[in-house]
């Protein structure tokens, strides 16, 4: 009787702890679409990629093209103050009288000047034209890089989201499994009280309750940790509470097959390689422009004013002048030591490397898509098999449970049927979400992850 009281107290303490441990604030549903919206708005990596895109867009402005003239203005002023003394050394004036010394103090000379200088490159071998095209292509590349970041982050987000959905379903399964074990323990206790079974049956049932309780606690802790991982991706409070949608709908395989025909037009990695190749082509043309002459126009306007103090021989004067100059110039680096030719050779080799990289990438993408499609089809097949396996184990468990109630099977056989069903359901959940993740990965490779419903 003493042991019975102790076991009852332990059970009550555990139930109270489990209830407190599982207690959570009210949580709202976070759909996949809402998660993606929050990711696009808050994720640090995406914000950085978009800022880089804005910088590349700014670089395509006419202000960065080299097509506008340069205008420079200058202005200045100066004041000189001098003291002077003129000694005539006894020289006589017109009346035969020795000349007096002339002393001038604080004589100021003031000068002002202002000017405008205009320069314009009329022709530079088309270098600025191809450089401007290069900047536009660089902007297109930055857009593709931002898209690549968004696609990769979306798949990462969905991976964590699906893991939360799997753990959510597992928590429910472990909870139901624990309830079955408690009912078995209660039944064994009644049978022991009436002398139908020995104490070992009760103890075995309690051992299984303890194992099922640990599984449930671990599942809940994993669920909390994974929810924090998702909150981190969404850049919000790590302890934000929510529930996820566990519904999974697979895309029509025929629709996915249709995307395979347009991989070169949609795969972001291939599009980036094509853009990089085009930039290398513009680099060659820009380098060639250095071998051609450059023609420029220039113009200037200047204004000067000088206020001079009186001297021993002249009165104070003010002098003002203005000038306008217009000119043209031609510059041609006929031979610059060979650096331009060397740069041109290197630019052509860089272009060949980019072409080789693109060809290699095309093969790699084709391989990745073939693997991803095979993984997806295999995952779907496994999921369907696991669904059938769950039905078989569920039927087996129900039959075993009925036989256990009438004493035709032992508690060991009942427990084995219970564990078989538990494993079958958890494996089916894993197969379901693995198949959905494989679908997301395939959609990313064919460039449609952002265009299809999640």
């Amino acid at each position: 009787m003493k042991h019975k009281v102790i076991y009852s107290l332990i059970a009550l303490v555990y139930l109270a702890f489990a209830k407190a441990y599982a207690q959570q604030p009210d949580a709202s549903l976070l759909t996949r679409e809402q998660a993606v919206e929050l990711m696009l708005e808050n994720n640090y990596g995406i914000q950085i990629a978009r800022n880089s895109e804005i910088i590349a867009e700014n670089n395509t402005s006419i202000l960065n093209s080299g097509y506008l003239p340069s205008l420079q203005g200058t202005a200045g002023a100066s004041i000189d103050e001098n003291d002077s003394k003129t000694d005539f050394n006894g020289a006589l004036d017109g009346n035969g009288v020795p000349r007096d010394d002339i002393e001038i103090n604080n004589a100021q000379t003031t000068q002002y000047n202002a000017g405008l200088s205009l320069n314009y490159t009329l022709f530079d071998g088309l270098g600025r034209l191809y450089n401007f095209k290069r900047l536009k292509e660089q902007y297109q590349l930055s857009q593709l890089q931002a898209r690549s970041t968004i696609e990769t982050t979306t798949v990462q987000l969905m991976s964590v989201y699906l893991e939360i959905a799997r753990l959510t379903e597992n928590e429910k399964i472990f909870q139901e499994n624990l309830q079955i074990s408690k009912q078995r323990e209660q039944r064994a206790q009644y049978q022991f009280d009436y002398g139908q079974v020995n104490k070992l049956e009760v103890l075995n049932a309690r051992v299984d309750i303890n194992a099922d309780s640990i599984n449930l606690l671990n599942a809940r802790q994993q669920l909390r940790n994974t929810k924090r991982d998702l909150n981190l991706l969404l850049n919000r409070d790590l302890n934000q509470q929510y529930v996820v949608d566990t519904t999974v709908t697979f895309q029509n395989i025929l629709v996915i097959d249709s995307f395979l025909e347009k991989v070169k037009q949609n795969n972001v990695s291939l599009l980036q390689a094509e853009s990089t190749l085009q930039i290398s082509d513009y680099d060659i043309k820009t380098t060639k422009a250095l071998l051609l002459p450059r023609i420029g126009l220039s113009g200037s306007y200047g204004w000067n004013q000088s206020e001079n103090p009186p001297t021993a021989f002249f009165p104070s004067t003010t002098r003002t002048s203005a000038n306008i100059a217009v000119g043209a110039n031609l510059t041609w680096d006929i031979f610059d030591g060979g650096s331009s030719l060397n740069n041109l050779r290197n630019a052509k080799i860089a272009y060949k490397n980019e072409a080789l990289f693109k060809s290699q990438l095309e093969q790699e993408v084709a391989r990745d898509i073939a693997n991803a499609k095979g993984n997806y089809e295999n995952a779907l097949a496994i999921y369907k098999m696991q669904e059938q396996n769950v039905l078989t184990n569920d039927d087996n468990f129900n039959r075993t449970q009925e036989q256990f109630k009438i004493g035709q099977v032992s508690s060991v056989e009942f427990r084995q049927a219970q564990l078989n069903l538990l494993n079958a359901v958890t494996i089916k959940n894993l197969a379901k979400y693995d198949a959905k993740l494989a679908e997301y990965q395939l959609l990313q490779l064919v460039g449609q992850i952002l265009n299809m419903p999640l």
Side-chain angles (χ1 to χ4, degrees), residues 236-441:
R236 62 178 188 171
D237 182 8
L238 296 179
N239 294 315
Q240 177 76 37
Q241 297 300 319
Y242 57 92
V243 295
V244 299
D245 184 8
T246 58
T247 304
V248 171
T249 303
F250 295 101
Q251 301 294 336
N252 190 318
I253 191 64
L254 296 178
V255 175
I256 295 179
D257 286 340
S258 67
F259 297 145
L260 300 178
E261 301 173 0
K262 299 181 180 179
V263 171
K264 290 186 178 181
Q265 292 87 348
N266 296 322
N267 180 273
V268 70
S269 296
L270 294 179
L271 293 175
Q272 287 182 82
E274 179 64 31
S275 182
T276 303
L277 185 64
Q278 184 62 59
I279 290 174
S280 293
D281 181 60
Y282 289 140
D283 286 339
I284 294 175
K285 294 176 179 177
T286 303
T287 306
K288 285 182 178 180
L290 299 176
L291 303 176
L292 298 177
R294 296 179 294 280
I295 301 174
L297 301 176
S298 62
S300 64
Y301 169 80
W303 173 85
N304 293 274
Q305 179 176 296
S306 177
E307 297 178 358
N308 302 303
T311 66
F313 303 100
F314 299 99
S316 61
T317 60
T318 299
R319 182 174 181 274
T320 302
S321 64
N323 70 289
I324 297 177
V326 177
N329 58 80
L330 182 146
T331 305
W332 193 351
D333 296 329
I334 299 175
F335 183 71
D336 61 355
S339 61
S340 296
L341 290 174
N342 186 67
N343 291 337
L344 180 59
R345 293 191 187 102
N346 290 339
K348 290 180 178 179
I349 295 173
Y351 178 84
K352 291 180 181 179
N353 284 342
E354 291 298 338
L356 292 172
F357 173 76
K358 180 186 174 185
S359 299
Q360 179 186 13
L361 186 62
E362 288 176 348
Q363 289 185 329
E364 292 177 353
V365 169
R367 177 206 61 192
D368 292 342
I369 289 178
N371 291 344
K373 187 172 184 294
N375 292 339
Y376 177 53
E377 293 173 344
N378 187 65
L380 283 177
I382 291 175
Y383 172 55
K384 292 178 181 179
M385 294 175 63
Q386 292 300 337
E387 280 186 316
Q388 185 60 45
N389 191 35
V390 168
L391 294 176
T392 302
N393 278 276
D394 185 59
D395 183 57
N396 178 65
F397 174 74
N398 290 332
R399 291 175 181 270
T400 304
Q401 188 176 41
E402 293 299 324
Q403 292 176 347
F404 178 70
K405 289 178 180 179
I406 60 178
Q408 292 184 355
V409 297
S410 65
S411 60
V412 174
E413 293 173 310
F414 174 78
R415 177 63 176 177
Q416 188 60 50
Q418 181 186 6
L419 293 177
N420 289 342
L421 178 59
L422 174 66
N423 291 334
V425 176
T426 54
I427 292 175
K428 183 207 75 171
N429 287 340
L430 179 61
K432 177 174 67 173
Y433 293 113
D434 278 350
K436 189 60 180 177
L437 180 59
E439 180 183 278
Y440 287 142
Q441 292 169 340

Side-chain angles (χ1 to χ4, degrees), residues 111-131:
Q111 292 182 338
Y112 304 96
N113 64 81
L116 290 175
S117 177
L118 179 69
N119 291 282
Y120 182 68
T121 300
L122 189 64
F123 177 76
D124 67 343
L126 301 179
R128 61 184 172 182
L129 172 64
Y130 293 117
N131 185 61

